[in-house]
Structures are given as C-alpha cells and as structure tokens.
Amino acid sequence: MSTLVSPFTERRMAEIVEKVRYGERLTLEDGVYLYETDDLLTLGQLANEANLRKNGKKVYFIENMSLYFTNVCEARCAFCNFRKDQGDEGAYTLSGQEMIDYVEQHIHPGVREFHIVGGHNQHVPFQYYVDSLKALHDKYPHVTLKAYTAAEIDFFTRISGLSIEEVLQELRKAGLQTLTGGGAEILSDQYRQKMKVTKANVERYLEVHRTAHKLGMKTHTTMLYGSVESYEDRVSHMLQIRELQDETNGFMVFIPLSMQPKSKNAGIMRRNSAYEDLKTIAISRLMLDNIQHVKAYFINIGPQLTQVALSFGASDVHGTIVREQISHAAGALTPAGLTRKELIWLVKGAGRIPVERDTFYNEIQVYE
C-alpha cells in the first residue's frame, strides 16, 4: 500500500493509510475526514485494496425479483413517494394469489430470490403478511424469500401484540429466510424526527436485526444518505452497524442508498453527485471492516457509476430486480432492472470477475 502515499498526500490521509495497512480500525473522526478530503483517488485506491483483500476481483450478483404486496402505509417519511393512503388513487393491497399472478407474468427460470418490501398497511392484520409469504413459498419453494425491513418487523409487533422474536418465528414458519436491509435510513433519532420517520427508531431497528441474528438468520443493512444528515451522522451510522456486527456477525452486506428526489424532473442540484456516491461507497468499505460486502446499487447510482464503484470498494451489484418501484416512484432515472447478460457485461467492463450467487453469497457460477 505504500504506493498510495505520495509527496502530495496530506499527513492525515497518510496516517489513515497506515491505519488501514496495519489493520487498525478507523474512528468517527477518520470517517468524517475522509468525507471532507478532496483526495478522492487516494480514498478510492485505499478502499479498492481493502476490498481486494476481502474478495479478490470477484463481484457478486443474483437473479432476483422485487415484489411489493402493498403501497398503503401509515408512515409519512418525508423522502418517500411510494406510499399511499387507503383509498388514494393508485393505492393497492394484493392478495397472495394476485401476487402469484404477477410473478407468473414476469418470472424466468433463473430467479433465485424474491425481494419483498412494502408499506406499513394498518388496515390488514399481521396474518395477511404471514399468508403473503406462505402463498409465495408454497408456489415457489425453490426461491429464497428475502422479505420485510426491520421497520416492517417492528410494525408487525405493534399490530399483532407479539414480540420481535415471535413475529420472526411466525414469518419463518411461512418461509422467510432473511430480512432486507431497508428502514435504517440514517441511524439518528434527531434525523428521524427531522425527516418524519415515525417508524422504528434507532434502537428498534438494531434490536430487530440483533434478534434475527440470534435466531441464526443472516440479514442485510442499508444507509439512505443525501438529505439533511451531516457527515458525522453518516459515519456514526456505520459505526453502530459495525458495533452490532462485532456482537452478532449477522450482516452479509452493507448497502449505501443514494437519496432520490421526489420528481424525475428534478435537476442535478437536487441529486447526490457522483463524487459523493463514490466517497460513500469507499468510506463504507473502510469503516465496515467486519462486513464482507459493500453493494453498489445501480438503481440509485446508475450502471456506469456502478462500474466505477467496483474500483472504490464495492463487491456486489445487487441483481436483475425486474421492476423496481420505490426509487422509481421518486426520481430515479436509472433502469428498473437489468438482465443477467447486462450484469455480466457491467462487471466485466470494470475489469472484474462476475459471480452469480444465491441470497447467502454461495457461488452459483463464476464467469471468468
């Protein structure tokens, strides 16, 4: 790593390079400095080398489908354009059979995972959410059910009167195998108050994942950045995830999600810059030394920047998705999905080795 440091490298950056070289953990102050520095190339190279030590040149993807049973939601998060009130134009709540009918129209033999999230619909009982999973599991037993955010699990405890563990156990009986990472937003109660995030607070988000991990589940986790939070908020978020990972070793991947504006017509000044997106991926890789993968989510940052992100610490490009709705209900201008061939092309175009995986990062096929 000595090649990272040149006569033009700032002393603080050189110190961080040395810390990473010798396996010393980065602090909150280190992370904030990395956000503030304009030395993007040293940061990127440092994150790239950290990722290469963990994953070599392999970059992972999965053939999956995103499914949304309902967009009716009691929460009114300031950044969300997906939610509806019951009775609104465009509001829907699908039965298990209606979702199966949708899947039948779009599924192809390679799909290994259903990625399931949706609104916090207080007009249906908890059993509806259980039955939704069971219907899919019974019809497609070979497809992994990655379903519900920690915020949804917390919501289910409120409408059912059950504990977090009891909710998870009921969902697991229906076929649940892992949780999605959403609902984290920024792990700051002050941020959640500003952004009207009335769903699970910081403590509950972490407790849901802690409980899932204690039950033997491996899960995903996210960070939604680019609104009112400070650099310190972002780094503190990463450190809280790192601390829980030290305790449970249950997170498989960290997913930085670039905030989308509420309108597709929003100008570039209302969007995160490519500079900010690359910095966040690189800093995530360096701060989260105990999580195997950092994901570059092409839905939010676009396929081309995703390619560049593979040299800034990312080792996963998500999956085929088929028809993403939440980011596109806001202002995402990216494709709503990519094919297997396109994902392979994307990864190879970055000089990396595409690896098709299952939900739990078991390798299905390596495309040398």
Side-chain angles (χ1 to χ4, degrees):
M1 274 199 213
S2 59
T3 56
L4 291 174
V5 179
S6 75
F8 304 102
T9 304
E10 287 189 7
R11 179 178 176 182
R12 183 68 185 280
M13 179 63 86
E15 291 171 350
I16 290 174
V17 169
E18 288 297 300
K19 291 177 80 169
V20 174
R21 172 190 293 174
Y22 292 109
E24 185 178 344
R25 280 194 149 169
L26 300 188
T27 64
L28 176 68
E29 292 75 20
D30 292 332
V32 171
Y33 168 79
L34 291 175
Y35 265 115
E36 292 174 343
T37 183
D38 59 2
D39 193 353
L40 180 66
L41 295 183
T42 299
L43 170 59
Q45 189 178 352
L46 187 60
N48 181 53
E49 295 198 11
N51 175 55
L52 289 174
R53 284 196 300 273
K54 281 187 175 292
N55 300 298
K57 288 196 169 186
K58 290 181 175 179
V59 173
Y60 295 81
F61 72 91
I62 188 170
E63 291 217 54
N64 63 351
M65 290 183 67
S66 288
L67 305 180
Y68 312 86
F69 273 94
T70 181
N71 62 353
V72 176
C73 190
E74 67 171 12
R76 297 178 177 275
C77 304
F79 48 77
C80 184
N81 208 38
F82 173 75
R83 69 161 305 280
K84 301 285 185 183
D85 285 322
Q86 183 94 322
D88 282 355
E89 182 179 353
Y92 67 86
T93 302
L94 301 181
S95 67
Q97 186 57 52
E98 287 173 323
M99 181 58 80
I100 287 170
D101 292 342
Y102 170 83
V103 172
E104 287 287 280
Q105 295 174 32
H106 302 288
I107 198 170
H108 55 84
V111 168
R112 300 179 182 277
E113 173 189 282
F114 293 139
H115 178 108
I116 303 165
V117 293
H120 299 192
N121 186 344
Q122 72 274 35
H123 302 288
V124 293
F126 171 56
Q127 193 62 41
Y128 163 81
Y129 296 95
V130 176
D131 292 343
S132 296
L133 292 191
K134 189 174 187 306
L136 283 175
H137 182 62
D138 289 348
K139 179 68 175 179
Y140 307 101
H142 61 288
V143 180
T144 299
L145 297 186
K146 179 173 77 173
Y148 306 135
T149 66
E152 286 173 278
I153 300 300
D154 177 66
F155 168 70
F156 298 157
T157 67
R158 290 192 284 110
I159 64 174
S160 68
L162 301 174
S163 68
I164 292 172
E165 181 172 343
E166 289 168 334
V167 164
L168 289 171
Q169 294 287 33
E170 287 301 306
L171 293 171
R172 292 178 80 189
K173 290 176 188 175
L176 177 71
Q177 291 177 260
T178 181
L179 300 181
T180 69
E185 324 313 357
I186 294 290
L187 292 176
S188 156
D189 286 328
Q190 184 179 17
Y191 165 92
R192 294 169 108 73
Q193 184 176 8
K194 287 180 182 177
M195 296 299 288
K196 301 178 182 178
V197 182
T198 55
K199 52 193 179 184
N201 63 19
V202 173
E203 181 182 356
R204 290 291 281 182
Y205 179 89
L206 295 171
E207 187 58 30
V208 168
H209 281 282
R210 178 181 288 108
T211 304
H213 297 167
K214 287 180 178 178
L215 292 174
M217 299 175 71
K218 296 290 188 178
T219 66
H220 309 70
T221 189
T222 64
M223 179 180 75
L224 181 65
Y225 65 93
S227 58
V228 301
E229 81 281 356
S230 65
Y231 290 153
E232 184 172 339
D233 289 334
R234 294 183 195 176
V235 180
S236 174
H237 177 113
M238 296 175 197
L239 292 178
Q240 289 176 81
I241 295 298
R242 189 172 80 182
E243 183 177 348
L244 181 55
Q245 182 73 344
D246 279 343
E247 177 186 336
T248 67
N249 194 35
F251 291 121
M252 296 181 286
V253 59
F254 182 75
I255 311 155
L257 298 173
S258 185
M259 178 78 76
Q260 303 299 301
K262 278 200 169 185
S263 169
K264 291 186 178 181
N265 297 322
I268 62 171
M269 292 176 65
R270 299 295 300 276
R271 301 174 184 274
N272 285 325
S273 68
Y275 191 81
E276 194 81 355
D277 290 333
L278 289 176
K279 270 194 170 186
T280 298
I281 287 168
I283 294 167
S284 299
R285 178 62 287 160
L286 295 172
M287 299 300 302
L288 294 167
D289 52 31
N290 56 359
I291 294 181
Q292 190 70 24
H293 298 285
V294 171
K295 182 176 292 187
Y297 189 47
F298 72 83
I299 287 293
N300 285 10
I301 66 174
Q304 287 84 359
L305 193 60
T306 293
Q307 284 186 312
V308 179
L310 300 182
S311 294
F312 278 72
S315 58
D316 187 283
V317 292
H318 196 58
T320 50
I321 301 176
V322 183
R323 292 189 178 184
E324 195 279 338
Q325 293 182 25
I326 293 178
S327 291
H328 286 85
L333 302 175
T334 56
L338 292 174
T339 66
R340 177 201 281 154
K341 286 184 177 179
E342 287 172 327
L343 287 168
I344 292 170
W345 172 88
L346 184 152
V347 174
K348 284 189 172 181
R352 301 294 161 121
I353 302 169
V355 180
E356 185 175 355
R357 61 172 175 86
D358 68 9
T359 299
F360 303 100
Y361 287 87
N362 298 304
E363 295 183 4
I364 305 302
Q365 185 170 351
V366 179
Y367 297 87
E368 293 285 359

